[in-house]
């Protein structure tokens, strides 16, 4: 059976290569590395290709056709504008402009009007997006961004008449208000239909629904020019039987000055403009969010206090002020990205490491898994395991924010080390509806904390008093939280002395204590096998990796006794894996509720899984007995394919009640045989443990988005960011990707490439150098700002090997360790590394 499956896989592999050839050279834009932008030149991308605006507190999602929405901190509780997920067509609704030039109406983002444009370009940059479009010699540019530290989004609209005749044009803006619990739009809209309230004064439309009772916040949409009309009632503006592409008001060329009372409030400005030949005009629109003191809400009866909005508007009421803010944003990103930058032999690698991967790490740090074009902003808040992992790709950028995040996450933990699986970003409180008991969760706190301390040298975090379950009276030092995390595993071992899996481990869909026959029941919250005995080899490997980290940390801070005791538990786990976790050619994945093996050659399906190969090889369990090498060879043989490494093989083709959600997905998708990009870097890192740099890098290039640009037609999602899942070799359409942006893939790939393949990693006492690169490389350069010291590192590979260092020269002098010490701060230092 297995041999037959292998044969099938080979045939499929051949077919997929043919597909690949057919589908190559299908691009929808290009990388502009100089400006750190991806330039989309065809609005009809295979899926909306989006960008994130805002870096802290206030955010927008913007697609390449102007779709998306804006929120303050929390996309569920403070969504400013409406967005309809799962719509037909996809991505309908956003911040739109309608330009009426004679008989032609068009939109600079192409949508919603979809008039064929003479020129279209969407430049997604670092926290800004710029549309450039032209039609009939009228050029319009829309620049969107959120100034640093500001709770408002700016749209600078520039219009230029490039014709030789005077043009009289009409411009309509459009947004649709939310600013209520966004979930209500799907579940309780009957209420919203009667609550909507607005005010219009001068050129500003204020949205004040629910302001008179419990909200001390409102939103506004302004333009820095007198207007010729407005609309705030959606049905009046669009007409009940039209779509967003053809609003009644735009068709008539005249707004109706409607004032919304209930139904669906919107904001649309109407401006008439005359442009002489060659003439240019600029307008500044602002979508803002205001919080006021409870006793300072009103100007007069029922008239809201507009002063804070006015102050915001005047902060950016000229092009000079806006341009300056954009410059500041650029400098901000120069600094952030300047902390790690490389020069290699491949521009595709450089643009991932220097620009896009780091950018995505900031976005995943900000959003966790809450709001993307695949995540609704409602269902998921900040994940305990997710946010801890996101941090390892971000901590070098803004360590202070990482520190605060660690504190927030740890505050949702319980005394026994267990924790809520998620918390809401606005309240920072554990989300009881999602529950807990995912037994991998606690260990990730050791990862994030040690990554933070190694980056910063700031051990004081360990002494910080951190609440349990958000209850300050139950606070203990952060170190006690780490200890609780470590011992949560020790106190929850199963019959083979391996970690109990709980509700699931990293793989949310391996639900071994949930035997569900009821389709109305969630796999994620059902746990009906009491006294569960199911065990996880993934957690076992994870425990050994972060158990060793815990021991190392204890030694660093002089807790020798604790280190010794913890080491015994780690050693015992290594033994348990060797004894009960090895299948002969690879590590098992788990033991099910009945004590049967999962991920064994004895199984009919799901014979081998990636997660335990990743963690047990990173932990180097049984390396001396050849286990690491065998395991990784098995990964190559059974799990690797053209598009990356699949999660398990063969994928499940029937429902296994004792395995849970994993066996519900069709073969080749998601956790059932999909290429779950998040765990591919675990194998890359495993490969570096063996010194196999060619293989590690080959895996890297298979899923790194910039390497897939030519495959966009098949791949579908953005070629500048990682996605969660690419359909695997047993899928109907191998290579097709989904769930771009919010995935642990971002941080793990950044971590794997910079710290393990390029091999420059922060340690407690310096910067460790241990590259494991493709043997054909002559070397590479990395500039690394670490603890306020700039290291200009040049790695030379004259003998064309993958791993091994002959010599390290620091400012010209040889050192006899591979850890470059912390040198004089504020200065640049040269580090020359000769491999050999
Ligand atoms: C997984 C999904 C799964 C979901 C639970 C996610 O973490 O990636 O595949 O369906 O959890 O519903
Ligand atoms: C996505 C989830 O956000 C993450 O927590 C989980 O580990 C993976 N899916 C795998 O199930």
């Amino acid at each position: 059976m297995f041999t037959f499956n292998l044969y099938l896989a080979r045939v499929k592999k051949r077919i997929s290569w043919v597909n690949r050839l057919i589908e190559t050279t299908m691009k929808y834009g290009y990388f502009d590395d100089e400006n750190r932008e991806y330039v989309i030149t065809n609005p009809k991308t295979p899926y909306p290709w989006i960008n994130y605006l805002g870096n802290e507190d206030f955010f927008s999602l913007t697609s390449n056709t102007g779709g998306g929405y804006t929120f303050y901190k929390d996309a569920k509780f403070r969504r400013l504008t409406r967005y309809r997920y799962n719509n037909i067509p996809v991505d309908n609704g956003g911040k739109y402009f309608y330009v009426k030039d004679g008989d032609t109406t068009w939109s600079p983002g192409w949508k919603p009007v979809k008039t064929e444009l003479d020129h279209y370009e969407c430049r997604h940059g670092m926290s800004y997006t710029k549309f450039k479009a032209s039609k009939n010699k009228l050029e319009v540019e829309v620049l969107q961004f959120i100034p640093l530290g500001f709770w408002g989004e700016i749209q600078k609209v520039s219009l230029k008449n490039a014709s030789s005749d005077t043009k009289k044009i009409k411009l309509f803006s459009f947004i649709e208000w939310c600013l209520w619990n966004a979930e209500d739009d799907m579940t309780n809209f009957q209420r919203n239909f009667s609550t909507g309230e607005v005010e219009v004064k001068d050129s500003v439309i204020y949205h004040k629904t629910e302001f008179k009772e419990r909200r001390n916040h409102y939103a506004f949409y302004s333009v820095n020019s007198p207007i010729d009309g407005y609309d705030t009632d959606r049905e009046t503006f669009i007409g009940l039987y039209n779509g967003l592409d053809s609003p009644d008001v735009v068709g008539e060329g005249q707004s109706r000055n409607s004032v919304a009372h209930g139904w669906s409030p919107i904001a649309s400005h109407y401006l008439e403009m005359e442009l002489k030949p060659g003439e240019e005009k600029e307008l500044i629109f602002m979508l803002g969010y205001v919080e006021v003191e409870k006793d300072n809400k009103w100007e007069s009866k029922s008239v809201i206090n507009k002063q804070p909005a006015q102050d915001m508007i005047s902060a950016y009421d000229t092009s000079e002020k806006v341009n300056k803010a954009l410059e500041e944003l650029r400098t901000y990103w120069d600094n952030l990205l300047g902390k790690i930058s490389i020069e290699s032999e491949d521009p595709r690698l450089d643009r991932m490491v220097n620009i896009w991967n780091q950018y995505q790490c900031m976005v995943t740090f900000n959003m966790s898994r809450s709001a993307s074009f695949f995540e609704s902003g409602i269902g998921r808040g900040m994940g305990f395991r997710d946010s801890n992992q996101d941090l390892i790709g971000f901590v070098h950028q803004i360590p202070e924010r990482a520190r605060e995040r660690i504190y927030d996450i740890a505050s949702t933990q319980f005394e026994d080390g267990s924790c809520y699986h998620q918390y809401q970003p606005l309240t920072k409180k554990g989300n009881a509806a999602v529950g807990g008991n995912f037994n991998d969760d606690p260990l990730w706190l050791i990862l994030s904390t040690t990554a933070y301390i190694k980056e910063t040298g700031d051990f004081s975090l360990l002494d910080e008093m951190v609440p349990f379950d958000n209850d300050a009276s139950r606070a203990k030092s952060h170190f006690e939280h780490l200890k609780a995390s470590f011992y949560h595993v020790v106190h929850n071992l199963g019959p083979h002395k391996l970690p109990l899996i709980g509700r699931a481990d990293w793989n949310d869909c391996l639900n071994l204590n949930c035997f569900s026959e009821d389709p109305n029941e969630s796999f994620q919250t059902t746990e009906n096998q009491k006294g569960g005995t199911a065990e996880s080899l993934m957690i076992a490997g994870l425990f050994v990796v972060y158990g060793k980290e815990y021991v190392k940390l204890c030694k660093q801070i002089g807790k020798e006794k604790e280190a010794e005791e913890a080491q015994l538990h780690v050693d015992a786990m290594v033994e348990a894996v060797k004894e009960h976790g090895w299948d002969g050619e690879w590590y098992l994945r788990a033991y099910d509720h009945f004590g049967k093996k999962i991920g064994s050659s004895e199984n009919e399906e799901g014979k081998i899984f990636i997660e335990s190969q990743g963690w047990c090889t990173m932990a180097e369990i049984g390396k001396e007995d050849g286990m690491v090498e065998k395991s990784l060879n098995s990964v190559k043989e059974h799990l690797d394919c053209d598009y990356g490494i699949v999660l398990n093989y063969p994928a499940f083709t029937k429902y296994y009640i004792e395995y849970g959600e994993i066996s519900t997905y069709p073969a080749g998708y998601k956790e059932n045989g999909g290429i779950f990009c998040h765990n591919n870097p675990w194998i890359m890192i495993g490969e570096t443990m063996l010194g196999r740099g060619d293989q590690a890098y080959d895996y890297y290039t298979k899923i790194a988005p910039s390497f897939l640009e030519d495959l966009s037609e098949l791949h579908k999602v953005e070629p500048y960011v990682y996605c969660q899942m690419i359909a695997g070799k047993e899928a109907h359409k191998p290579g097709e990707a989904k769930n771009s942006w919010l995935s642990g893939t971002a941080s793990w790939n950044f971590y794997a490439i910079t710290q393990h393949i390029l091999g420059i990693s922060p340690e407690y006492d310096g910067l460790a150098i241990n590259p494991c690169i493709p043997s054909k490389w002559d070397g590479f350069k990395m500039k690394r700002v670490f603890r306020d010291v700039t290291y200009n590192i040049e790695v030379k590979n004259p003998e064309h090997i993958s791993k091994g260092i002959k010599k390290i020269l620091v400012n010209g002098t040889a050192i006899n360790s591979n850890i470059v010490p912390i040198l004089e701060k504020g200065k640049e230092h040269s580090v020359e590394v000769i491999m050999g």
Side-chain angles (χ1 to χ4, degrees), residues 268-297:
S268 170
H269 305 95
Y270 167 56
L271 294 106
E272 294 172 358
M273 270 179 282
E274 189 175 290
L275 290 170
K276 304 231 159 47
E279 190 180 352
E280 288 178 53
K281 277 197 177 147
E282 285 191 334
L283 297 165
I284 297 156
F285 291 82
M286 183 186 289
L287 169 63
Y289 170 84
V290 166
E291 283 185 357
V292 283
E293 297 292 323
K294 213 169 174 182
D295 48 12
N296 198 16
K297 286 171 72 166

Side-chain angles (χ1 to χ4, degrees), residues 368-369 375 380 383 385-386 389 421-422 440-441 444 505-510 524 611 647 670-671 676 678-679 682 724 739 742-744:
S368 196
R369 307 296 168 266
E375 302 282 5
R380 310 225 241 164
R385 77 159 79 92
D386 295 332
Q389 292 173 79
H421 197 45
Q422 281 164 24
D440 65 311
D441 268 342
W444 301 108
D505 60 23
W506 171 88
N507 189 333
D508 276 333
C509 299
L510 197 61
Q524 300 300 304
E611 303 99 321
L647 191 144
K670 293 282 280 184
E671 281 89 340
F676 221 91
H678 185 147
N679 50 35
W682 300 343
Q724 183 203 60
N739 288 29
L742 303 187
S743 165

Side-chain angles (χ1 to χ4, degrees), residues 195-302:
T195 54
E197 288 188 291
V198 297
E199 274 182 47
V200 184
K201 177 130 193 282
D202 303 324
S203 301
V204 191
I205 297 166
Y206 298 88
H207 180 222
K208 58 172 188 178
T209 300
E210 294 184 347
F211 186 71
K212 70 173 164 309
E213 1 104 32
R214 294 171 299 172
R215 293 188 185 276
N216 301 328
H217 46 264
Y218 64 80
F220 65 90
Y221 192 37
S222 65
V223 58
N224 69 336
S225 156
I227 52 175
D228 298 289
Y230 60 85
D231 275 289
T232 68
D233 176 64
R234 193 184 73 201
E235 255 63 277
T236 309
F237 179 75
I238 296 179
L240 192 54
Y241 298 102
N242 302 344
L244 287 163
D245 56 334
S246 54
D248 273 347
V249 157
V250 177
E252 283 161 17
Q254 178 63 56
S255 62
R256 295 178 180 166
N257 298 350
S258 57
V259 176
H261 298 279
W263 294 110
S264 295
I266 61 155
S268 170
H269 305 95
Y270 167 56
L271 294 106
E272 294 172 358
M273 270 179 282
E274 189 175 290
L275 290 170
K276 304 231 159 47
E279 190 180 352
E280 288 178 53
K281 277 197 177 147
E282 285 191 334
L283 297 165
I284 297 156
F285 291 82
M286 183 186 289
L287 169 63
Y289 170 84
V290 166
E291 283 185 357
V292 283
E293 297 292 323
K294 213 169 174 182
D295 48 12
N296 198 16
K297 286 171 72 166
W298 306 100
E299 205 168 285
S300 57
K301 180 152 175 41
S302 302

